[in-house]
Amino acid sequence: MPDFGGERPFDNYRVAITDPSHFWGRSDLINTMRKSPFQVRILLGGRRLGKTSALRAVEWNLLNPSSNYPRRAFPVLINLQLEQPKDLDNLRYILIARLREGIERWRQVPLAEIRQMYRQFLGNITGGEVTLKFLSQLDIKLNFTNTDTEKRLNNDSFRLAFLKTTEELRKLNFQGVCFLIDGAEFIVKQDWANDAWAYLRGLKDTDTAIKSCLGLLLSGYRDLKEYQQRVGSPLLNIAEIEWLGALSEEDTRQLISDRTEQENISLTEETITSIIQWSGCHPYLTQQSLNLVFDSNQEDSRDNLIDKLLQHHDKDFSAWWNAEKISGCFSEDERTVYFALTQNRQAKPQDLAQSTGFTRVKVTEALEVIAGTGVIRSHDDEFYTLGSRLFEEWVKQQ
């Protein structure tokens, strides 16, 4: 079997894309964020669908000094799975700390085209003393407990630090801040979750000094969606929901063209069409299919290549299908709806409701979640079609 763990670019597609020249698609999301970065949005999408890459793309587009939009937001990308704030006060400190560090890194970036600027921005290293020095200048006393990792800010200190920072940002041609929160599921699992959402809601709803210069884009999937349905989160109630699905065929073809050019390999139109069909334009499956095709022997048959892909993705597909009923992937209802869709490959919600015996509401909710994994496609909510034939084949073999 080909070696999927080599050194070539894009080999695993398991880490976020940070090179603008290698990012394809998601133009609707990026254009929306550039036009109105000071809103509250929730970006939902399944595993391996490229949520972090999308946040990175939003980051470098908001940083781009060549932007034609009059109100620019300085982007601050925070991975909550990495940060793991301990409470709301600690979360407030993390927001300010990453904001201050981001500004310091941006000050060191030379004027250049965005690809070089962004690479320099990511490469700059800034220590935590930048934040401590800034807060001490504002006479903000930190509340230490045991270690330096236990830094906390109350509301008054956060507001002061945020507003003073926005004054600096205006001199850098930014009119405010947009926090890009990756892994927002971390918060919904905490007992202080609703306090955090209510606080952020208050900043956007009632704090007249802050609300016009603060944007939020939170990424997640099932846990974030179900939390909203379960408790009616104050923040999520005012958020606009953006679903991340599979790429368009045009964007997938551009991705394939980029890969073949980077690796100096030619593919026939038949091979390209086959990759698109079997990946269903899912970005991760497309990248992995290309890896296999590039590494395969010319005598490998199409069936042999598909068998190798099924073997390689068995754990991925098993996690998506989620027969073990682990939180975060397909439920039993969603598995039933997906399997019903495989019977005709295209159906309307009312057709699937009839064939499954579910209500139309239950079917529609199930289809929304499945489409958020990128293995089926929504066509203006009028009807749905199967996407990845590779995943479809794996399901049939279970």
Side-chain angles (χ1 to χ4, degrees):
M1 184 173 181
D3 179 9
F4 286 91
E7 296 297 327
R8 67 143 65 93
F10 316 106
D11 202 24
N12 288 312
Y13 202 70
R14 294 175 185 270
V15 295
I17 292 176
T18 57
D19 189 332
S21 68
H22 296 154
F23 183 85
W24 302 104
R26 314 309 187 197
S27 57
D28 288 345
L29 171 67
I30 291 169
N31 290 335
T32 295
M33 291 300 301
R34 293 175 68 190
K35 289 177 183 177
S36 52
F38 301 112
Q39 303 295 322
V40 179
R41 291 188 171 84
I42 308 295
L43 181 64
L44 297 177
R47 300 174 182 175
R48 306 279 186 240
L49 203 50
K51 294 191 296 298
T52 304
S53 291
L55 292 183
R56 286 291 186 191
V58 169
E59 183 179 41
W60 71 62
N61 274 278
L62 293 183
L63 286 172
N64 193 344
S66 300
S67 173
N68 295 322
Y69 295 100
R71 299 198 72 225
R72 293 174 64 204
F74 186 81
V76 182
L77 200 158
I78 297 174
N79 184 339
L80 289 186
Q81 302 294 341
L82 178 64
E83 299 283 359
Q84 298 200 356
K86 297 170 179 59
D87 52 33
L88 177 55
D89 284 351
N90 187 215
L91 174 63
R92 279 190 283 247
Y93 177 85
I94 289 170
L95 294 176
I96 292 298
R98 301 302 165 258
L99 169 58
R100 296 303 311 181
E101 291 163 11
I103 293 173
E104 184 65 23
R105 287 158 53 208
W106 182 246
R107 291 185 192 277
Q108 302 174 35
V109 173
L111 289 177
E113 54 88 24
I114 188 59
R115 184 185 183 194
Q116 180 181 345
M117 292 175 70
Y118 190 61
R119 183 185 297 120
Q120 180 87 26
F121 176 72
L122 294 181
N124 288 338
I125 298 175
T126 304
E129 66 275 3
V130 169
T131 305
L132 298 179
K133 180 179 179 181
F134 170 75
L135 294 176
S136 65
Q137 290 172 346
L138 299 181
D139 199 27
I140 291 175
K141 303 291 192 296
L142 288 179
N143 180 19
F144 291 97
T145 55
N146 295 324
T147 69
D148 283 355
T149 61
E150 301 286 343
K151 300 183 180 75
R152 292 176 167 83
L153 291 177
N154 61 26
N155 175 53
D156 289 342
S157 296
F158 174 85
R159 289 187 77 257
L160 176 60
F162 184 88
L163 292 172
K164 286 294 184 182
T165 300
T166 55
E167 291 178 9
E168 290 183 42
L169 285 172
R170 292 187 184 98
K171 298 176 183 178
L172 296 173
N173 200 27
F174 294 97
Q175 285 67 51
V177 179
C178 183
F179 288 108
L180 311 175
I181 309 296
D182 201 7
E185 294 98 334
F186 177 84
I187 291 184
V188 307
K189 297 175 182 178
Q190 310 305 312
D191 56 11
W192 48 272
N194 230 32
D195 290 340
W197 299 140
Y199 177 75
L200 294 174
R201 165 72 179 260
L203 294 178
K204 288 299 298 177
D205 236 7
T206 60
D207 196 319
T208 55
I210 286 181
K211 66 180 183 180
S212 64
C213 54
L214 170 65
L216 295 166
L217 176 61
L218 301 94
S219 78
Y221 186 41
R222 295 211 56 141
D223 289 340
L224 195 59
K225 179 178 185 292
E226 291 170 356
Y227 180 83
Q228 161 64 8
Q229 294 174 330
R230 186 172 68 251
V231 304
S233 160
L235 177 68
L236 276 62
N237 283 341
I238 67 169
E240 296 181 19
I241 304 297
E242 306 277 352
W243 279 95
L244 206 63
L247 299 175
S248 68
E249 181 173 334
E250 179 183 1
D251 289 332
T252 304
R253 285 184 176 275
Q254 289 180 320
L255 185 157
I256 293 172
S257 176
D258 182 61
R259 284 292 307 275
T260 55
E261 180 179 348
Q262 289 287 327
E263 305 200 25
N264 196 26
I265 296 176
S266 297
L267 297 179
T268 65
E269 177 60 29
E270 180 182 6
T271 300
I272 292 173
T273 300
S274 181
I275 290 173
I276 290 172
Q277 289 176 344
W278 283 93
S279 71
C281 297
H282 191 292
Y284 171 63
L285 297 181
T286 300
Q287 296 280 16
Q288 292 296 328
S289 297
L290 286 168
N291 287 345
L292 179 58
V293 170
F294 290 165
D295 287 344
S296 64
N297 299 317
Q298 292 186 353
E299 61 268 18
D300 279 349
S301 67
R302 174 174 168 275
D303 288 344
N304 189 36
L305 290 175
I306 291 171
D307 286 343
K308 290 179 179 179
L309 279 170
L310 288 171
Q311 179 184 351
H312 180 67
H313 289 295
D314 181 65
K315 290 184 179 179
D316 292 320
F317 293 162
S318 179
W320 292 349
W321 192 240
N322 198 21
E324 295 82 8
K325 300 181 180 180
I326 300 172
S327 172
C329 290
F330 291 177
S331 67
E332 185 174 347
D333 289 346
E334 288 145 15
R335 293 193 293 272
T336 300
V337 170
Y338 178 87
F339 193 74
L341 183 59
T342 65
Q343 305 309 302
N344 294 308
R345 300 187 59 79
Q346 175 178 311
K348 296 182 178 181
Q350 56 265 38
D351 299 328
L352 295 170
Q354 185 175 4
S355 62
T356 60
F358 294 162
T359 65
R360 184 168 175 177
V361 171
K362 180 183 284 190
V363 167
T364 300
E365 289 183 351
L367 288 169
E368 187 178 58
V369 171
I370 301 169
T373 306
V375 296
I376 68 172
R377 286 188 174 278
S378 168
H379 301 269
D380 298 325
D381 293 332
E382 293 295 325
F383 66 95
Y384 289 79
T385 57
L386 288 176
S388 168
R389 293 188 64 184
L390 194 66
F391 181 70
E392 178 189 0
E393 181 63 26
W394 183 91
V395 169
K396 289 179 178 178
Q397 293 181 14
Q398 300 311 299

